[in-house]
Amino acid sequence: MTVSKKELDKVSECIERFKDKPGALLPLMHAIQDNIGYIPEDCYPQIAKAYNHSVAEVHGFVTFYHHFRRHPAGKNVLQICRAESCQSMGSEALEAHCKQTLGIDYHQTSEDNLITLEPIYCLGNCACSPAVMINDQVIGRVTKEKINNLIKKLK
Amino acid sequence: MSYKIYIPIDSTAKSLGANEVAHLIELKAQSRKIDLQIIRNGSRGLFWLEPMLEVETDQGRIAYGPVTENDIESLFDAEFFMGKAHPLCLGVTEEIDWLKKQERLTFARVGVIDPINIKDYEKHDGFKGLKKAIQLKPNEIVKEVTDSGLRGRGGAAFPTGIKWQTVHDVPSDKKYIVCNADEGDSGTYSDRMIMENDPFVLIEGMIIAGLAVGADKGYIYLRSEYPDALKVLNEAIETAKQNNYLGQNILGSQFNFELEVTRAAGAYICGEETSLLESLEGKRGMVRYKPPLPAIEGLYGKPTVVNNVISLATVPIILDKGAKHYADFGMGRSKGTLPIQLAGNLKKTGLIEKAFGITLRELLYEFGGGSATGKPIKAAQVGGPLGAFIPEAQFDMPLDYETFAKVNAVVGHGGIVAFDDTVDMSKMARYSFEFCAIESCGKCTPCRIGSTRGMEVIDKIKSGIDVEKNEKLLRDLSETMVDGSLCAMGGMTPFPVISALNYFPADFGLDKDLSKA
Ligand SMILES: Cc1cc2nc3c(=O)[nH]c(=O)nc-3n(C[C@H](O)[C@H](O)[C@H](O)COP(=O)(O)O)c2cc1C
Ligand code: SF4
Ligand code: FES
């Protein structure tokens, strides 16, 4: 995966922005991901140099956190809560249904690049389990019908 | 004449369509030429009734719920905006049994006010605690918190006042207040509700903490799964700055305090306080050895208060009403109230703030209304993924730190997840190990490797392979994890596992009675 010039410029901008901030790596990685959707490996050396880390350290940092993506996601990200409260209300069947409908497993993107499917561990919506998050929107008491409609709406 | 309508903006209410309802009501009011003033309040936490609207009337606020888009037409026909009768009408909000039976101290304003309206906050006793604290000496603030008996609501239940005293007593040019808003436990959402629905109370609590220990900088370490809370907090911090509650010479005093939010990045272990500090410093969230305690060498090696959202958000009312007022609630060494979160397979889920001492049975059946599916409740997991599964036989235990500890259970952050009798407890035990394997920071072998081995051993038991030998192995492995882990991730994962095994052996194919025959 090669990074485009435009993406590289964005990354450089972010790197500049947090240069004097203590504990900069967290906000920096968020900014990069918010801007271009993922954190390209090609940028590790530049980040390492700017923040006085080794490339291995930058790699170690990005891979430690589940939230950070090393590859671009599809147009939408569908996260299904796998944690206990949602399990008690049938999230397992919901997971199976989504995987089957989309023809993909977790951490994969549908062929039309529409949806990336990811597991998540609690959305704080446990009062209305099972819960999913589509992009930044949480949806509660999700049924198969509800999820089918949501997926349809994304198309 | 203008009518005042409240529609919650809480993310769980929104997850059930509160925004769509608000939008439709606005349109409908326009087309019917009715002058409505719509206020987006927080949620009262009665989630089986959300989206729940409220209307201001002479008798107080009157509630309607759960309202769907299909109900809007009939609500207008019934003139709900004047508080008139409708099948969804729940009567005066404050009189709803579920709310009336609670003791809301930390959550006093939640659902009542517009979260980001600072005037609303002030009108409802906001910043009273801070104004009192500013008149006190730091030591006196700490004493008030100590005397209240408040214990950390993040999980470990360590006395908050004692932690503050330690930070207060260490001389240093720089100290920090760090709010742990990582709320990773499944079945919990009280931190989220405070941050989305009453953010100023958290800000006020952090300023008071700063005053007490001599810190001038605070961070809120917020989980990335809460995008709404991020927006609300940032807006509230900005407003607090403009009103001189944050920044230089707060309220004309000599005291300065800056506050910012740092977004976490989806690692459960970063809720552990030392891992959190590493993360905040821009590193991998590897757990640190203790000592030194964060209170002595915390963020960037400086004395640091790390407290949970609820602990900090409870400080303002303690300062305002006095330590005794708070300590008069509760039982034994569990003083005050706990915001309890009902989750999972229950009819009526939501937030209940009650004094310690209420039993699980009251919570699950009287408040919770029994399981959502109508089947018997087989077990409840209390205190998140590291908390034990509690069988029906123990449902009469009062919620109290010490009572729970006696049966190897925890109160933790106050989340309760109910399971009906279709749950396979061996699967839940396996999931506990799986979660530990996914979220382990990797520093200790028993946690990193043991969790994966644990899954394999459960699989073997379930397949009937060397059952007796493998059951013993599972118990030995759990013991090794408890004894050989640096933090509670590896050290407590065996709690849910062993509780499942002990109370529900049949689910593992270990029917004790059968094996005796
Ligand atoms: C694996 C693990 C996860 C934790 N997650 C959280 C969390 O999400 N929120 C929290 O407040 N405390 C969490 N804690 C507890 C913190 O380490 C710490 O005790 C707490 O933040 C102290 O604040 P308190 O005294 O106000 O509770 C966790 C602990 C462990 C071992
Ligand atoms: S017990 Fe697990 S999470 Fe905790 S320090 Fe050890 S490896 Fe890390
Ligand atoms: S367990 Fe799924 S939202 Fe909390």
Side-chain angles (χ1 to χ4, degrees), chain B residues 44 46 48 92-105 107 329-330 336-340 342 348 351-370:
Chain B
R44 303 261 189 175
L46 288 67
W48 80 100
V92 176
T93 314
E94 310 273 347
E95 296 296 319
I96 298 174
D97 210 34
W98 222 79
L99 260 181
K100 216 176 157 181
K101 285 194 297 195
Q102 302 194 25
E103 283 122 16
R104 288 201 167 188
L105 304 179
F107 273 68
F329 292 90
T337 58
L338 182 71
I340 299 153
L342 287 189
K348 302 175 178 180
L351 188 117
I352 300 156
E353 184 172 351
K354 274 299 270 184
F356 284 92
I358 185 171
T359 67
L360 273 178
R361 195 178 299 281
E362 287 172 87
L363 288 165
L364 294 169
Y365 288 96
E366 280 174 37
F367 279 96

Side-chain angles (χ1 to χ4, degrees), chain B residues 360-422:
Chain B
L360 273 178
R361 195 178 299 281
E362 287 172 87
L363 288 165
L364 294 169
Y365 288 96
E366 280 174 37
F367 279 96
S371 79
T373 43
K375 298 188 157 98
I377 297 174
K378 178 164 165 179
Q381 188 176 32
V382 183
L386 308 177
F389 290 101
I390 297 176
E392 153 104 40
Q394 293 177 355
F395 284 176
D396 292 311
M397 279 196 302
L399 211 60
D400 158 63
Y401 293 120
E402 278 65 44
T403 306
F404 270 54
K406 271 188 218 141
V407 296
N408 284 332
V410 291
V411 172
H413 188 46
I416 300 179
V417 178
F419 296 84
D420 74 7
D421 65 356
T422 60

Side-chain angles (χ1 to χ4, degrees), chain B residues 468 505-506 509-517:
Chain B
E468 250 171 64
L510 297 166
D511 206 314
K512 293 280 149 78
D513 295 335
L514 282 182
S515 64
K516 260 185 241 151

Side-chain angles (χ1 to χ4, degrees), chain B residues 99-168:
Chain B
L99 260 181
K100 216 176 157 181
K101 285 194 297 195
Q102 302 194 25
E103 283 122 16
R104 288 201 167 188
L105 304 179
T106 311
F107 273 68
R109 271 173 303 264
V110 169
V112 178
I113 63 167
D114 169 355
I116 46 171
N117 184 334
I118 200 163
K119 293 278 166 299
D120 227 7
Y121 181 70
E122 286 168 337
K123 226 183 337 189
H124 288 85
D125 297 337
F127 294 120
K128 273 195 183 166
L130 174 62
K131 283 169 188 160
K132 287 207 177 142
I134 265 181
Q135 308 296 324
L136 298 176
K137 294 198 187 74
N139 246 328
E140 293 168 339
I141 305 175
V142 174
K143 183 168 185 309
E144 207 60 26
V145 175
T146 307
D147 291 348
S148 76
L150 177 67
R151 290 164 72 175
R153 302 289 188 240
F158 187 80
T160 305
I162 294 178
K163 187 183 285 187
W164 287 21
Q165 189 72 56
T166 309
V167 179
H168 170 276

Side-chain angles (χ1 to χ4, degrees), chain A residues 2-3 8 15-16 18 23 25 41 49 61 69-70 88 93 105 110 125 133:
Chain A
T2 44
V3 201
L8 276 177
I15 290 178
E16 230 9 77
F18 295 105
L25 281 196
E41 224 155 310
K49 191 155 168 257
F61 182 87
R69 253 180 253 294
R70 288 186 288 156
S88 79
D105 206 335
S110 60
N125 207 51
M133 179 137 102

